[in-house]
Amino acid sequence: MKRYSNGYTTFNDYFMMYLAKWKRAAVVLLFVWIVVTYLVISPLRCNGNQDEVLEFQERLKRVTAQLESLRHQHSNLIAQVKKSSGLNGNLKDIDTGSLFFDGIQGPTEEYENLRRRIYSNTKELYYYVEHELGKFMQEENKEERLQVILDQVSDRKRSLLSDQQRLQEVDGYHEWRIAEAANVSDLIQRRLKHLQNPPDCKEARKVICNLNKGCGFGCQLHHIVYCLIFAYASERTLILNSKGWRYNNKGWEYVFHPISDTCVSAFDDKAVQWPVTYDAKVISLPFIDSMAQRPKFLPLAIPKDLAHRIVRFNGDPASWWIGQMLKYILKPKTAMQKAINDTIAKMNFKTPIVGVHIRRTDKVGTEAAFHHIQEYMAHVKDYYDQLDMSRSTDAVRRVYLATDDANVLEDARAKYPDYTFLGDASIAKTAATHRRYTPLSLTGLLVDLHMLSMCDYLVCTFSSQVGRVAYEMMQANRVDASDSFFSLDDIYYFGGQNAHDRVAVMDNAGTNQDVVFLVGDMIGIAGNHWNGYGRGTNKRTNVNGLIPWYKTADHLVLYPFPEYKHVPLYEPRQKDL
């Protein structure tokens, strides 16, 4: 079966999604036939004069033209259905621009995917050239000339990316993207609120999530996200057990608003441990890492009923979907929010600004490699150099630096005097290993996460849960943050996720290190080397090796989550203040 270039869905999925519109078109066609029949017959029932007959003929011509247009669209639909061999076609088989989306605002998926692909592949080209020339520069007497070449390539890359970013500002859909992202986000939040506040808590089906996972705050946040996604997929109310929480013994609800206003107990119903062999009323979830019989709706899957809306305004739908879960979960209570606001007010936070998260202490040497400050700052400089191409004057180069090592902030200010660093050394001190699990440390971490998510660009390591949470919060705060970060190590992932695949969009003949693949092959990805290649396994041939990244595209997994039809698709929204 052929696949869409980004692996979104099949023709069957698309056809069912728009079947209602096709039926409406058929009704309109029938109505026009009735009108034509009436107009033809009505003059025969009366003795009209010559002027009336001529007027009728003109009306008949106009109606006939409209009817012919409808007949043509109807024929196109039937032809395309037949061409798809039943229901085994794909999204490319349908002319979405002319068939279904006439009169509907917003760009097509093809335009959005092409725009993002050009942006991504421009960066991939630079990674490759930088890597190869970097090796070549180590040879004798060639450093100066090669550095000139590399600087030229870098400048041209920034120009290309700057132009590509402007593309979405001038295509006429900027306001549409903002409105559509707000509408879909609002719909998800209302669905979650409905799910978490059933009319009869005692009788509601529930899922129990125990917040006793022995890990840091970012890891625990992702544990709650996984539980909430399970609840959303199974239409169960999530009950969060958090007494004795390592960040506050009184529980999650002492720091944040509870995730339900009306349903916080399983009462006396017996909780059955997942996996279950029957439709138990109350299910208790294990940690995602040790989950047996893993459901297909686990990340990085997104809801099928919302997919065709999300992909039209966001380039990384999986992280945007997870960001919506965080948006519902992370609602600090008044005291905590005041502490966060007071800290932020002292920092004179202004844009443009780049957020940098440097994780040291317990991560280095175990889960992640050590990265020097200059590795982060190279990408900060690149961001501002590119930004200067679209500004008439160079502005102050601000950096918000979040770290668990208090010495890093002082070191950065000493080494980079041309940059203005915002940060709080006291927050870094509370993040030290021996002070980490305290209310004061939690306040500092929430400040860092909030500030990082509000930055224009993020430089971090995705091996860190905090780095990934900051990115997910960025996605929840704006229309599309998929091009607003750089990770020094891992690509984006969700801990315990199902397989992350890419689909081949070009054939690759292969070399001694490259994997041979054909268009449509699914490739399981282990990571991106940031040199133009990643490592993965061709699932058709089971061969592992290097993958030319530009010849593949992310495979988006769609899952038929409940559509919560009793929750209105749109709700009147007040104008933004």
Side-chain angles (χ1 to χ4, degrees):
M1 179 179 70
K2 294 194 300 181
R3 295 179 181 271
Y4 186 55
S5 60
N6 275 354
Y8 289 134
T9 185
T10 63
F11 174 80
N12 184 32
D13 301 328
Y14 190 93
F15 183 81
M16 294 303 296
M17 184 180 298
Y18 291 98
L19 185 58
K21 291 189 177 184
W22 180 85
K23 289 180 178 178
R24 288 198 294 271
V27 170
V28 172
L29 189 64
L30 178 61
F31 175 77
V32 172
W33 270 111
I34 294 173
V35 171
V36 171
T37 302
Y38 174 80
L39 292 175
V40 171
I41 295 176
S42 58
L44 302 179
R45 299 169 54 194
C46 61
N47 296 321
N49 57 34
Q50 185 66 23
D51 291 339
E52 291 175 335
V53 172
L54 291 175
E55 181 183 354
F56 162 73
Q57 289 176 343
E58 288 300 319
R59 292 204 312 269
L60 182 58
K61 288 179 181 179
R62 291 194 297 269
V63 172
T64 302
Q66 294 174 2
L67 179 60
E68 179 61 23
S69 176
L70 282 173
R71 186 196 64 77
H72 183 66
Q73 292 185 36
H74 179 266
S75 298
N76 283 345
L77 176 63
I78 298 301
Q80 291 177 47
V81 169
K82 290 180 179 179
K83 185 177 68 174
S84 66
S85 300
L87 295 178
N88 292 325
N90 60 45
L91 209 57
K92 290 190 295 184
D93 290 332
I94 289 190
D95 181 4
T96 57
S98 63
L99 184 58
F100 287 128
F101 293 120
D102 284 349
I104 298 180
Q105 293 183 346
T108 64
E109 289 180 40
E110 181 181 10
Y111 173 88
E112 288 297 289
N113 290 328
L114 178 60
R115 176 178 62 80
R116 293 168 187 144
R117 177 171 170 75
I118 292 172
Y119 188 94
S120 175
N121 285 351
T122 303
K123 291 189 296 183
E124 290 296 328
L125 172 64
Y126 175 72
Y127 297 153
Y128 175 79
V129 173
E130 179 187 43
H131 177 73
E132 293 301 317
L133 291 184
K135 292 190 300 182
F136 194 60
M137 283 176 62
Q138 297 176 8
E139 300 182 9
E140 292 186 22
N141 304 322
K142 295 183 178 179
E143 289 86 350
E144 183 176 346
R145 175 57 186 158
L146 286 175
Q147 187 61 53
V148 171
I149 295 173
L150 189 56
D151 289 344
Q152 276 288 316
V153 172
S154 182
D155 192 61
R156 291 167 188 266
K157 181 262 304 188
R158 285 191 289 268
S159 176
L160 282 168
L161 296 183
S162 179
D163 289 344
Q164 290 301 320
Q165 287 184 322
R166 286 190 64 251
L167 182 64
Q168 61 184 317
E169 299 173 6
V170 300
D171 65 1
Y173 295 118
H174 180 68
E175 296 300 325
W176 175 88
R177 291 189 186 95
I178 294 174
E180 180 69 349
N183 285 333
V184 180
S185 175
D186 178 66
L187 174 60
I188 293 172
Q189 298 303 308
R190 287 187 287 108
R191 287 179 175 181
L192 289 170
K193 184 175 182 179
H194 174 85
L195 176 70
Q196 287 301 111
N197 295 278
D200 186 345
C201 179
K202 185 174 180 58
E203 296 302 319
R205 301 195 314 156
K206 305 177 183 71
V207 58
I208 308 297
C209 184
N210 296 306
L211 191 56
N212 58 354
K213 194 170 185 180
C215 57
F217 182 68
C219 168
Q220 292 182 341
L221 265 183
H222 283 140
H223 177 59
I224 302 175
V225 167
Y226 140 69
C227 292
L228 188 57
I229 289 175
F230 190 103
Y232 185 97
S234 59
E235 293 186 276
R236 294 173 178 271
T237 300
L238 175 61
I239 306 296
L240 183 64
N241 290 338
S242 61
K243 295 297 182 183
W245 181 35
R246 67 193 311 181
Y247 281 94
N248 193 303
N249 285 329
K250 295 181 180 179
W252 177 270
E253 293 77 13
Y254 188 78
V255 181
F256 301 95
H257 288 285
I259 58 176
S260 174
D261 298 324
T262 62
C263 194
V264 296
S265 171
F267 296 91
D268 297 324
D269 293 320
K270 178 183 177 182
V272 181
Q273 186 72 22
W274 176 271
V276 296
T277 57
Y278 63 98
D279 188 19
K281 184 178 180 182
V282 180
I283 295 175
S284 179
L285 289 180
F287 299 143
I288 192 172
D289 319 77
S290 58
M291 193 177 200
Q293 296 185 18
R294 300 172 61 81
K296 294 182 179 180
F297 56 70
L298 294 181
L300 300 165
I302 67 169
K304 182 184 295 186
D305 68 309
L306 301 176
H308 281 276
R309 298 181 67 180
I310 299 173
V311 298
R312 298 176 74 204
F313 62 76
N314 194 279
D316 188 3
S319 65
W320 188 88
W321 164 244
I322 291 168
Q324 295 305 307
M325 300 295 112
L326 286 175
K327 183 177 180 179
Y328 187 84
I329 294 168
L330 277 178
K331 297 174 181 176
K333 283 192 169 179
T334 304
M336 176 61 80
Q337 189 63 57
K338 183 179 184 303
I340 294 172
N341 293 342
D342 289 346
T343 304
I344 293 173
K346 299 174 184 177
M347 292 188 181
N348 194 28
F349 184 91
K350 295 180 181 179
T351 59
I353 187 168
V354 176
V356 174
H357 176 248
I358 301 179
R359 180 69 187 271
R360 295 281 169 81
T361 62
D362 58 318
K363 282 281 186 180
V364 175
T366 55
E367 298 179 34
F370 181 90
H371 294 279
H372 293 278
I373 181 67
Q374 51 264 37
E375 295 181 65
Y376 295 87
M377 291 303 296
H379 297 285
V380 174
K381 178 182 181 300
D382 192 55
Y383 172 82
Y384 277 113
D385 286 347
Q386 180 176 323
L387 185 62
D388 286 342
M389 289 187 169
S390 60
R391 300 186 297 185
S392 56
T393 58
D394 295 348
V396 176
R397 295 192 168 196
R398 299 182 187 85
V399 177
Y400 180 82
L401 181 56
T403 179
D404 56 358
D405 184 348
N407 296 321
V408 172
L409 187 58
E410 182 179 347
D411 184 45
R413 285 171 174 159
K415 288 183 176 178
Y416 298 94
D418 294 336
Y419 291 80
T420 299
F421 286 90
L422 281 67
D424 191 333
S426 63
I427 293 178
K429 292 176 181 178
T430 64
T433 307
H434 64 288
R435 299 178 180 175
R436 184 163 299 167
Y437 303 110
T438 63
L440 185 60
S441 174
L442 179 59
T443 301
L445 182 52
L446 289 172
V447 169
D448 278 344
L449 283 172
H450 177 82
M451 299 290 275
L452 290 171
S453 69
M454 297 302 293
C455 289
D456 299 288
Y457 194 77
L458 174 66
V459 182
C460 63
T461 52
F462 274 166
S463 59
S464 166
Q465 299 262 13
V466 172
R468 300 200 303 276
V469 169
Y471 170 57
E472 291 157 355
M473 291 174 65
M474 285 180 76
Q475 284 281 56
N477 288 341
R478 63 192 70 178
V479 176
D480 188 359
S482 62
D483 291 328
S484 301
F485 73 92
F486 187 89
S487 168
L488 296 182
D489 52 19
D490 293 337
I491 59 176
Y492 174 78
Y493 68 95
F494 187 92
Q497 68 186 23
N498 285 333
H500 180 185
D501 295 334
R502 289 178 71 85
V503 59
V505 295
M506 298 171 63
D507 292 341
N508 188 55
T511 64
N512 292 334
Q513 293 181 311
D514 287 11
V515 173
V516 176
F517 53 77
L518 304 175
V519 171
D521 283 351
M522 299 301 296
I523 300 169
I525 292 300
N528 192 329
H529 292 177
W530 310 121
N531 61 2
Y533 290 89
R535 179 163 291 278
T537 301
N538 186 333
K539 292 191 170 182
R540 177 177 58 84
T541 62
N542 203 33
V543 175
N544 178 275
L546 295 180
I547 306 294
W549 208 255
Y550 76 102
K551 292 186 177 182
T552 65
D554 255 327
H555 172 65
L556 187 59
V557 178
L558 308 186
Y559 182 83
F561 283 85
E563 298 184 14
Y564 294 91
K565 294 185 181 297
H566 39 283
V567 178
L569 285 177
Y570 296 94
E571 187 173 78
R573 302 173 67 246
Q574 294 181 349
K575 292 184 178 179
D576 295 333
L577 298 178

